[in-house]
Amino acid sequence: MSGLSVQSLCFTYGAKQALDGVSFDVAPGEFCALLGPNGAGKSTLMSLLTRLFTTQQGRIRGAGHDLARTPRKALAQIGVVFQQTTLDLDLSVYRNLSYFAALHGISGREAHDRIMAALERLDMADRAHERARDLNGGHRRRTEIARCLIHRPSVLLLDEPTVGLDAAARRAITDHVHDLTSTEGLTVLWATHLSDEVRDSDRLIVLHQGRILADGNCGALRGPTPLPDYFLTLTGASA
Ligand SMILES: Nc1ncnc2c1ncn2[C@@H]1O[C@H](COP(=O)(O)OP(=O)(O)OP(=O)(O)O)[C@@H](O)[C@H]1O
């Protein structure tokens, strides 16, 4: 299938088991929130999905391509926003995106058109020539999301993309990314430890201590229980 497919993924750091038999599929156009407390294994999973780490056990397919067997094809279909910002703060928004476009072999008019379309998509076109250092945290994040659209991936991976942002910026970014699933059909895996970023209509996967504790429609899973309470009860944490 296209979208994202993870089968029986296990990963250890020495004796520490960070992921223990993780399996799930995200359908094309689906927004899937991967909700887990600190240490759940979210970043480890993201590192495997982006091939920063090599899979020890299990299988990953991105847009139908096996990440271990055909990594270039799989990675060409994947856009990533890492937890830590990876913008060059001394370059303008536009230059950050054009550098990324060049890395993907996209140049000239084609690069310009894609950059402006991506910036417009994130309501960032009027800031194209501002220096990244001069942007607030929310606008830096939007720039990174625009950048990961340049090579036209079908799957977006976002690892706690709202860390350190205020409530309004977090809302703007979650709205933008939800919009990308409904209007562009992008498949999204959104890792977070913040339950208020998850909507009832989202697919929800709860990860804890390297294992999936729940997987399904968020509203159906939580029922009448507020999501923070459902999440805390499931993970055995105290408020
Ligand atoms: N390099 C490492 N060496 C040893 N253990 C590690 C290493 N990196 C992560 N771990 C452990 O693996 C487990 C999963 O960590 P991971 O960073 O993937 O969780 P996370 O859900 O992303 O947490 P956070 O929300 O704090 O970023 C944790 O118990 C963590 O302590």
Side-chain angles (χ1 to χ4, degrees), residues 13 16 18 36-45 83 159-160 193:
Y13 298 97
K16 172 76 195 173
N38 292 133
K42 305 181 297 296
S43 292
T44 304
L45 176 59
Q83 203 175 106
D159 188 5
E160 306 204 32
H193 63 271

Side-chain angles (χ1 to χ4, degrees), residues 63-97:
H65 303 289
D66 189 295
L67 192 60
R69 290 187 194 159
T70 52
R72 288 174 64 136
K73 282 187 178 168
L75 291 172
Q77 290 295 323
I78 294 175
V80 187
V81 176
F82 292 104
Q83 203 175 106
Q84 303 296 332
T85 183
T86 56
L87 293 177
D88 186 325
L89 297 180
D90 291 321
L91 296 182
S92 69
V93 167
Y94 188 94
R95 289 285 295 151
N96 267 284
L97 271 60

Side-chain angles (χ1 to χ4, degrees), residues 15-80:
K16 172 76 195 173
Q17 181 100 40
L19 293 176
D20 185 7
V22 168
S23 299
F24 62 91
D25 291 328
V26 188
E30 191 171 35
F31 184 103
C32 179
L34 179 72
L35 184 63
N38 292 133
K42 305 181 297 296
S43 292
T44 304
L45 176 59
M46 286 294 184
S47 297
L48 290 166
L49 294 174
T50 52
R51 223 161 179 262
L52 282 179
F53 295 169
T54 307
T55 305
Q56 296 168 339
Q57 209 179 311
R59 193 166 180 216
I60 297 167
R61 291 170 76 82
H65 303 289
D66 189 295
L67 192 60
R69 290 187 194 159
T70 52
R72 288 174 64 136
K73 282 187 178 168
L75 291 172
Q77 290 295 323
I78 294 175
V80 187

Side-chain angles (χ1 to χ4, degrees), residues 164-175:
L165 302 184
D166 63 30
R170 291 207 291 125
R171 170 66 64 85
I173 286 174
T174 49
D175 285 353

Side-chain angles (χ1 to χ4, degrees), residues 6-231:
V6 172
Q7 285 167 20
S8 309
L9 212 56
C10 296
F11 192 86
T12 58
Y13 298 97
K16 172 76 195 173
Q17 181 100 40
L19 293 176
D20 185 7
V22 168
S23 299
F24 62 91
D25 291 328
V26 188
E30 191 171 35
F31 184 103
C32 179
L34 179 72
L35 184 63
N38 292 133
K42 305 181 297 296
S43 292
T44 304
L45 176 59
M46 286 294 184
S47 297
L48 290 166
L49 294 174
T50 52
R51 223 161 179 262
L52 282 179
F53 295 169
T54 307
T55 305
Q56 296 168 339
Q57 209 179 311
R59 193 166 180 216
I60 297 167
R61 291 170 76 82
H65 303 289
D66 189 295
L67 192 60
R69 290 187 194 159
T70 52
R72 288 174 64 136
K73 282 187 178 168
L75 291 172
Q77 290 295 323
I78 294 175
V80 187
V81 176
F82 292 104
Q83 203 175 106
Q84 303 296 332
T85 183
T86 56
L87 293 177
D88 186 325
L89 297 180
D90 291 321
L91 296 182
S92 69
V93 167
Y94 188 94
R95 289 285 295 151
N96 267 284
L97 271 60
S98 63
Y99 180 66
F100 182 86
L103 288 177
H104 282 269
I106 306 160
S107 59
R109 186 80 214 171
E110 176 70 12
H112 175 78
D113 290 349
R114 289 196 192 196
I115 289 165
M116 292 317 294
L119 289 175
E120 269 157 30
R121 203 71 197 70
L122 275 294
D123 286 340
M124 286 291 293
D126 55 343
R127 299 184 187 275
H129 299 292
E130 288 185 25
R131 213 165 51 134
R133 190 180 298 285
D134 299 331
L135 300 175
N136 67 33
H139 289 146
R140 286 185 194 177
R141 272 309 191 196
R142 283 203 230 169
T143 303
E144 289 189 290
I145 296 169
R147 184 180 59 179
C148 84
L149 301 176
I150 297 287
H151 62 297
R152 296 189 176 146
S154 56
V155 178
L156 293 191
L157 306 175
L158 302 103
D159 188 5
E160 306 204 32
T162 60
V163 160
L165 302 184
D166 63 30
R170 291 207 291 125
R171 170 66 64 85
I173 286 174
T174 49
D175 285 353
H176 274 298
V177 176
H178 275 90
D179 198 41
L180 289 171
T181 60
S182 53
T183 58
E184 319 265 329
L186 284 169
T187 305
V188 170
L189 184 66
W190 173 285
T192 184
H193 63 271
L194 301 167
S195 51
D196 66 348
E197 293 183 349
V198 188
R199 298 179 181 175
D200 271 352
S201 54
D202 291 338
R203 162 88 170 281
L204 171 66
I205 293 177
V206 179
L207 187 70
H208 184 47
Q209 296 179 340
R211 293 185 181 189
I212 292 180
L213 299 188
D215 180 358
N217 171 267
C218 174
L221 283 174
R222 75 171 182 84
T225 310
L227 185 57
D229 296 345
Y230 170 77
F231 177 58

